[in-house]
């Protein structure tokens, strides 16, 4: 693109004005969230069709892109791995390895977070690692705020290393492909991503935490307590637990504590050598996930559910919800048996949680108190009716998807095989990742309805819609117009200055927009500007894509929002701590990206 061409492309047309006007409106709506982001994105598509900028087929073509299938498949596999507790084990291992040394503790936790987020979403990784990070901070005698924000930053750094590490990378690959360039390969970013992550982790571990204020430490009571519910188990027919010693039954993997064995009315201590018999009832305390695994097990059955389930309507699919007994409830001071709970409310109480109670209790004989949490199984209609009852407050519906550790290992293996098959060039990644999902479903580890629940539909809609908006930027001439302005402004200062402008503009756009949306908006502009700057279009697109994933200057990224309250942060804390890391990352990109991809 010569300077004469720049002048020709710098003319504003009606079509360009429409697209740029829509971009401004979208940025305002994304930033203020006056309406949900997916609604804004769909509205953008409708306006592009209504103004004649795109045909309906062009406007909705983003929904048919293979990146949508890839991203949805990754969400299913990553969600299943998390649900199976694989990452919880990784978090506990990191906590044990970290020890009490301040720098070592921070480096280990951040390193595990960065590596994990290269294959899982940075949001999931941050959420899983938070308990280990808080406990590590307590042992290292530092404020939790000095490790939680670096934890989120590390997850974002690690996500930049692979195509599947962040939605921005996948979205960028789809956009360059639509612009006629070669899409990004699975591990194309590994070199630069690993270097950025390594430098970033060293900075965060040794210097970066000095930029983070030590807010008041997270006290013991502030931790999110893993709640364990009381319930009673029985042995179904043909249970392999019959005549098996308690020490040979892996209750730990079921997230369950065996408290007492009730045999012929007598309560027996759960000695390791005691063998279970047919007719035994086991009083246990279990997590919500553990209860779901027990329900799925062929060796145990929840006694309350077994007793009442035949009385539920056969044509309804039972749901599980958590409810709490209100302070003014007439339930207080009565047992479930006295209340005839099922007869009056058509709901089965399968487990009860009471804070600070550790002694064994049969839930039907437990005198209810205000604040007791009940896990209810009931039909949707009966749960809706309970929502208007003043004696009990329905809090949330429980996702009944559950995977055992063995099933989690199968999912992890399937995902690893898909990545390796694509990396070695055997099959396209879109095919291998979908085949991995099919293997998991066919094996019975997940049903299709459970798989659909792991998909973040709002993000898919946003990426598909913004991909179509990127096409509109290209076809309307808006991308060429903006490129001409950037070329005219930056060309006198050289290509490095122009690259810095694109990188910093991307970082700034990620504040009102999502990372993926910012990349999809600017990639067409970068590709159009590249010839006039004497730069490779694909290289400039890669710079924009990676810059979108490495913006740390506000808490608007979901991973950063997760730690916002727990760390007692303020908005300016992210500016103070994130600005140096952002500058370091951008400098590394400006040095390495032209060397690797020019």
């Amino acid at each position: 693109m010569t300077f004469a061409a720049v002048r020709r492309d710098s003319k504003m047309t009606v079509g360009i004005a429409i697209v740029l006007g829509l971009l401004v409106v979208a940025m305002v709506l994304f930033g203020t969230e006056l309406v949900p982001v997916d609604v804004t994105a769909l509205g953008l598509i409708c306006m592009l069709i209504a103004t004649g900028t795109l045909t309906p087929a062009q406007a909705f073509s983003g929904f048919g892109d293979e990146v949508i299938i890839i991203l949805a498949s990754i969400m299913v596999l990553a969600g299943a791995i998390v649900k199976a507790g694989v990452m919880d084990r990784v978090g506990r291992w990191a906590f044990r390895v970290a020890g009490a040394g301040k720098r070592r503790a921070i480096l280990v936790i951040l390193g595990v977070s960065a590596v994990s987020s290269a294959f899982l979403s940075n949001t999931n990784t941050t959420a899983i690692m938070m308990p280990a990070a808080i406990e590590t901070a307590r042992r290292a005698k530092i404020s939790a705020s000095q490790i939680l924000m670096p934890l989120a930053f590390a997850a974002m750094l690690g996500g930049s290393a692979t195509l599947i590490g962040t939605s921005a990378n996948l979205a960028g690959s789809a956009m360059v492909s639509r612009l006629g360039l070669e899409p990004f390969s699975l591990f194309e970013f590994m070199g630069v991503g690993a270097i950025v992550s390594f430098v970033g982790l060293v900075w965060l571990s040794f210097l970066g935490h000095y930029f983070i204020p030590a807010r008041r430490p997270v006290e013991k009571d502030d931790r999110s307590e893993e709640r364990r519910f009381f319930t009673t188990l029985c042995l179904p027919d043909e249970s392999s637990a019959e005549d098996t010693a308690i020490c040979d039954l892996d209750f730990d993997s079921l997230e369950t504590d065996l408290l007492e064995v009730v045999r012929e009315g007598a309560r027996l201590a759960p000695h390791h050598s005691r063998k279970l018999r047919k007719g035994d009832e086991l009083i246990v305390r279990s997590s919500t996930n553990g209860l779901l695994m027990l329900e799925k097990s062929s060796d145990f059955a929840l006694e309350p559910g077994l007793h009442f389930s035949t009385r539920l309507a056969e044509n309804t699919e039972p749901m599980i919800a958590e409810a709490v007994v209100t302070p003014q409830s007439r339930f207080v001071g009565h047992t479930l048996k006295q209340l005839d709970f099922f007869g009056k409310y058509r709901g089965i109480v399968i487990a009860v949680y009471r804070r600070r109670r550790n002694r064994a209790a049969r839930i039907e004989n437990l005198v209810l108190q205000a604040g007791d949490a009940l896990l209810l199984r009931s039909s949707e209609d009966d749960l809706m009716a309970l929502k208007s009852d003043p004696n009990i407050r329905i809090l949330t519906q429980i996702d009944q998807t559950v995977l055992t550790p063995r099933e989690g290992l199968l999912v992890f293996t399937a995902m690893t095989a898909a990545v390796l098959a694509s990396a070695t060039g055997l099959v396209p990644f879109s095919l291998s990742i979908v085949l991995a999902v099919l293997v998991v479903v066919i094996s019975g580890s997940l049903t299709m309805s459970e798989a659909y629940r792991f998909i973040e539909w709002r993000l898919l809609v946003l990426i598909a819609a913004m991909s179509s908006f990127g096409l509109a930027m290209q076809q309307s001439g808006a991308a060429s117009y903006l490129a001409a302005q950037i070329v005219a402004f930056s060309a006198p200062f050289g290509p490095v200055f122009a690259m810095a402008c694109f990188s910093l503009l991307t970082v700034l756009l990620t504040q009102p927009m999502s990372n993926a949306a910012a990349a999809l908006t600017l990639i067409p502009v970068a590709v159009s500007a590249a010839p006039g700057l004497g730069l490779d279009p694909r290289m400039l697109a890669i710079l924009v894509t990676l810059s979108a994933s490495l913006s740390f200057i506000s808490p608007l990224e979901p991973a950063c929002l997760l730690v916002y309250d727990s760390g007692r942060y303020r908005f300016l804390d992210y500016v103070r701590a994130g600005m140096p890391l952002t500058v370091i990352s951008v400098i590394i990109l400006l040095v390495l990206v032209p060397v690797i991809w020019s």
Side-chain angles (χ1 to χ4, degrees):
M1 183 184 291
T2 64
F3 280 103
V6 167
R7 290 192 180 92
R8 287 197 304 272
D9 288 340
S10 62
K11 288 185 178 182
M12 174 74 74
T13 65
V14 174
I16 293 173
I18 290 173
V19 172
L20 294 183
L22 289 174
L23 176 61
V24 172
V25 171
M27 289 175 60
V28 171
L29 291 178
F30 283 144
T32 59
E33 293 190 15
L34 293 175
V35 293
V37 293
D38 49 341
V39 174
T40 299
L42 288 174
L44 210 57
I45 285 183
C46 293
M47 291 303 298
L48 291 173
I49 297 173
T51 57
T53 306
L54 293 179
T55 66
Q58 291 172 328
F60 293 111
S61 62
F63 291 90
D65 200 297
E66 69 172 344
V67 71
I68 300 299
I69 297 297
I70 292 173
L71 196 52
S73 300
I74 290 171
M75 288 174 181
V76 171
L77 296 174
I81 289 172
V82 171
K83 194 72 175 178
V86 174
M87 291 306 300
D88 288 328
R89 291 176 176 79
V90 172
R92 289 195 291 269
W93 172 84
F95 168 67
R96 289 195 301 270
V97 171
K102 180 178 178 179
R103 284 193 176 90
R104 180 185 176 190
I106 293 176
L107 191 57
V108 169
I109 293 295
L110 301 194
V112 172
S113 176
V115 172
S116 301
S117 64
F119 301 97
L120 303 175
S121 76
N122 53 36
T123 307
N124 275 340
T125 300
T126 303
I128 292 162
M129 295 297 296
M130 276 179 64
I134 292 173
E135 192 61 38
T136 300
R138 184 175 293 107
R139 288 173 56 179
K141 298 180 180 179
I142 60 175
S143 171
S145 64
Q146 292 188 306
I147 195 170
L148 287 177
M149 188 188 294
L151 176 74
F153 287 171
M156 295 167 66
L157 285 165
S160 67
T162 65
L163 180 66
I164 61 176
T166 171
S167 59
N169 290 356
L170 277 167
S173 181
M175 179 53 70
V176 297
S177 179
R178 299 186 78 179
L179 296 176
L181 301 175
E182 183 184 352
F184 308 145
S185 64
L186 187 58
F187 293 111
E188 185 164 357
F189 302 148
M190 182 60 76
V192 66
I195 293 173
V196 171
S197 298
F198 176 77
V199 174
L201 293 185
V202 171
W203 167 263
L204 290 170
S205 301
F206 293 93
L207 293 173
H209 62 278
Y210 290 118
F211 290 82
I212 303 173
R215 303 294 183 199
R216 72 181 181 88
V218 177
E219 303 296 339
K220 186 173 182 179
D221 288 344
D222 290 339
R223 296 190 273 189
S224 57
E225 178 188 78
E226 183 188 31
R227 297 186 302 167
R228 300 237 166 181
F229 290 77
F230 290 98
T231 193
T232 305
L233 305 178
C234 57
L235 305 184
D237 294 336
E238 299 181 0
S239 168
S240 63
E242 189 178 339
D243 295 324
T244 302
I246 290 174
C247 62
D248 295 328
L249 298 171
D250 190 7
F251 282 104
D252 286 342
S253 67
L254 296 171
E255 300 179 19
T256 298
D257 302 320
L258 176 57
L259 304 178
E260 283 185 348
V261 178
V262 181
R263 181 174 295 165
E264 298 177 353
R267 293 196 171 194
L268 308 175
H271 295 307
H272 287 182
S273 59
R274 191 183 302 281
K275 292 186 176 182
L276 299 183
R277 300 178 187 171
K278 187 174 181 62
D280 283 352
E281 294 181 345
L282 315 179
I283 299 178
V284 300
R285 189 176 54 182
S286 181
S287 67
T288 305
N289 198 54
L291 290 169
L292 294 173
M293 284 193 283
L294 287 167
E295 280 205 308
K296 196 174 183 178
S297 169
S298 59
D299 295 332
F300 304 101
L302 300 185
E303 192 276 334
L306 196 66
H307 183 66
F308 288 104
S309 59
T310 55
R311 295 163 62 182
L312 284 174
E314 293 183 0
N315 59 346
T316 60
E317 183 178 351
M319 303 170 66
I320 296 179
E322 183 178 335
V324 65
V325 178
T326 59
Q328 295 79 27
S329 172
R330 72 176 187 85
F331 293 177
V332 174
H334 297 83
T335 66
L336 293 169
K337 187 182 294 185
Q338 291 170 341
L339 292 169
D340 186 21
F341 191 90
F342 180 84
K344 293 181 179 178
Y345 297 96
R346 308 298 300 172
I348 305 169
V349 179
I350 60 174
V352 176
Y353 165 77
R354 178 175 296 168
R355 192 177 184 187
R356 296 192 178 92
R357 181 181 178 95
N358 298 313
R359 290 185 294 109
R362 297 183 68 100
I363 61 174
E364 69 270 20
N365 297 326
L366 193 65
V367 177
L368 297 178
Q369 298 178 3
D372 283 351
L374 315 178
L375 282 187
L376 302 174
R377 183 192 290 139
S378 185
S379 67
E380 185 176 4
D381 292 341
D382 290 329
L383 279 178
M384 290 298 294
L386 271 174
K387 286 186 176 181
S388 60
D389 193 292
N391 297 296
I392 193 170
R393 181 175 298 161
I394 304 295
L395 296 180
T396 183
Q397 183 180 337
I398 303 297
D399 179 9
Q400 298 183 58
T401 306
V402 61
L403 286 92
T404 64
R406 181 178 296 178
E407 291 169 333
L409 181 60
L410 172 65
V411 178
F412 181 79
T413 302
M415 186 172 182
T416 303
V419 170
L420 292 176
S422 175
T424 55
L426 292 177
V427 292
F429 185 54
S430 54
L431 174 60
S432 66
I433 201 72
V434 170
L435 286 174
V437 173
L438 288 176
V439 167
V440 170
V441 171
I442 293 171
S443 70
S445 300
L446 280 180
T447 65
M448 284 304 294
S449 60
E450 290 171 337
Y452 290 139
R453 286 200 287 268
F454 285 125
I455 298 175
E456 299 175 42
W457 297 103
R458 178 173 294 186
L459 178 60
L460 295 186
V461 169
L462 175 64
I463 290 176
M466 291 307 297
S467 178
S468 297
F469 185 76
L471 180 63
M473 291 274 291
Q474 189 74 13
Q475 292 200 355
S476 67
S480 297
Y481 173 81
L482 290 178
Q485 311 310 311
I486 293 175
V487 170
F489 170 72
S490 60
F493 302 99
V496 174
F497 179 80
M499 290 169 57
C501 288
F502 270 108
S503 183
L504 293 175
L505 182 58
T506 305
V507 167
L508 291 175
L509 271 184
T510 60
Q511 307 316 305
M513 308 171 75
S514 73
N515 296 351
L520 289 169
T521 301
L522 279 181
I523 285 175
V525 180
V527 170
S528 297
L533 297 169
L535 298 171
D536 180 75
R538 191 170 183 273
M539 180 273 292
L540 204 52
I542 288 173
L543 178 67
V544 169
T545 301
L546 290 174
S547 298
S549 301
L550 298 171
S551 174
F552 309 95
I553 57 178
S554 82
L556 301 179
E557 165 69 26
C560 292
L561 284 174
L562 272 177
V563 301
Y564 191 86
D565 288 333
S566 297
R568 279 63 165 177
Y569 298 118
R570 298 168 188 163
F571 190 94
L572 288 179
D573 292 340
Y574 285 87
V575 178
R576 187 185 304 112
M579 186 66 74
L581 183 59
T582 301
V583 171
I584 290 171
S585 301
V586 168
I587 290 173
I588 294 174
L589 292 182
L590 292 176
V591 172
L592 293 181
V593 170
V595 172
I596 298 174
W597 285 282
S598 62

